Amino acid sequence: MTATWDPPNTTDPILSVRQILALERVLAGDPEVVAAAAHLDRPVRWVHVAEAPDVGVMLTGGEMVLTTGVLLAGDEHKQAEYIQSLHRSEAAAVVLGLGRAFPSPPDAMRRAADRCGLPLVVLHRPFPFAELTEEVQSRLVRRKFAAVSLSESVRTALTGLITAGAPLQRLLDEVAVHSGCPVVVTNLAHRVLATAGERSAVDDVLRDWERIARQAGGGTGDGWTRAELGGRGERWGQIMLCGYRGDT
């Protein structure tokens, strides 16, 4: 039996809004989430400093927008529209530095952010936006290079084993080492063909296999990650990482 190994398409490594707010440099600005606190796990793809009221048209989604709101002061309609524009552009969050234009969180922006589900964060202490931007961008870049390095390491290891004619079990053992969780290979009817990983963890998965197979049947979710397996142009089964909690 032969297998083709095609790593799935993945997005660049990201940070969540929650992770960014926990950074030491950001904590120096005394951040407070004043709206949509339930959405702090949104991924942040980039950080963007912008004062323009129509900044939404410049975004592509996933940005954390930093502003002092200097062009929004005194106009509640503009404040609400600013938030709605960011929401339409699928921004991850907006961070408002208090002091220059607003001494306290503006109610119009807070209400609009709650309605949209867009996290609104205020900074109570003077804080150079350049520091936050530098910190987040450098972390995003480091995570991206780390992911590329890991991907290449996995690809090299698996390609070497395949080239050497290693059996399927040896390939699965290598995948289990890199993922740190039980690995299961099934046929198209979800019948287990092979497993790898720590024996006790694998046994726990197999004891509840019917439920796990149903849960993962729709794709990737809550740590159940799967990919199709095939050979000679035909799909014959799937490989599943059971409970994988690492980065993409």
Side-chain angles (χ1 to χ4, degrees):
M1 178 166 53
T2 61
T4 57
W5 178 265
D6 294 314
N9 292 328
T10 59
T11 57
D12 289 341
I14 46 80
L15 293 168
S16 68
V17 176
R18 188 186 309 278
Q19 288 173 314
I20 291 175
L21 296 182
L23 296 178
E24 186 175 351
R25 279 195 180 183
V26 180
L27 291 174
D30 193 13
E32 179 189 3
V33 181
V34 297
H39 299 276
L40 296 182
D41 291 319
R42 282 184 170 184
V44 176
R45 186 180 57 83
W46 207 244
V47 177
H48 190 71
V49 181
E51 299 293 354
D54 60 347
V55 63
V57 301
M58 309 174 193
L59 306 180
T60 57
E63 295 90 351
M64 173 179 275
V65 177
L66 314 180
T67 182
T68 64
V70 66
L71 299 181
L72 303 172
D75 191 327
E76 291 192 353
H77 176 75
K78 280 186 178 181
Q79 295 165 22
E81 176 55 32
Y82 179 81
I83 295 295
Q84 291 163 9
S85 175
L86 295 180
H87 169 65
R88 289 192 296 269
S89 300
E90 299 183 346
V94 58
V95 176
L96 175 66
L98 299 179
R100 187 173 179 187
F102 298 100
S104 60
D107 287 338
M109 293 181 71
R110 180 159 45 187
R111 290 194 298 270
D114 268 331
R115 286 195 300 269
C116 294
L118 176 68
L120 172 61
V121 182
V122 297
L123 300 176
H124 289 279
R125 297 175 186 165
F127 185 83
F129 283 167
E131 287 191 12
L132 192 155
T133 302
E134 178 185 14
E135 177 77 8
V136 174
Q137 313 299 46
S138 64
R139 284 175 179 266
L140 289 173
V141 170
R142 287 199 301 270
R143 286 165 67 90
K144 181 174 182 178
F145 278 111
V148 170
S149 177
L150 174 60
S151 176
E152 187 57 31
S153 174
V154 174
R155 183 189 299 274
T156 299
L158 294 176
T159 300
L161 289 172
I162 292 173
T163 302
L168 177 61
Q169 186 61 53
R170 181 67 185 87
L171 290 169
L172 296 183
D173 290 341
E174 189 71 21
V175 173
V177 168
H178 284 288
S179 66
C181 68
V183 177
V184 177
V185 170
T186 71
N187 61 15
L188 297 180
H190 302 296
R191 179 169 174 259
V192 176
L193 303 178
T195 63
E198 185 181 345
R199 191 68 253 168
S200 60
V202 171
D203 289 343
D204 286 342
V205 168
L206 295 182
R207 274 194 292 270
D208 200 18
W209 177 247
E210 288 188 10
R211 182 188 64 80
I212 290 175
R214 288 195 303 271
Q215 178 179 339
T220 300
D222 195 28
W224 311 114
T225 304
R226 71 172 189 168
E228 294 183 352
L229 295 174
R232 298 178 181 177
E234 293 187 3
R235 185 168 69 93
W236 57 261
Q238 68 176 3
I239 182 172
M240 188 179 303
L241 308 185
C242 303
Y244 180 59
R245 299 292 180 180
D247 285 342
T248 306

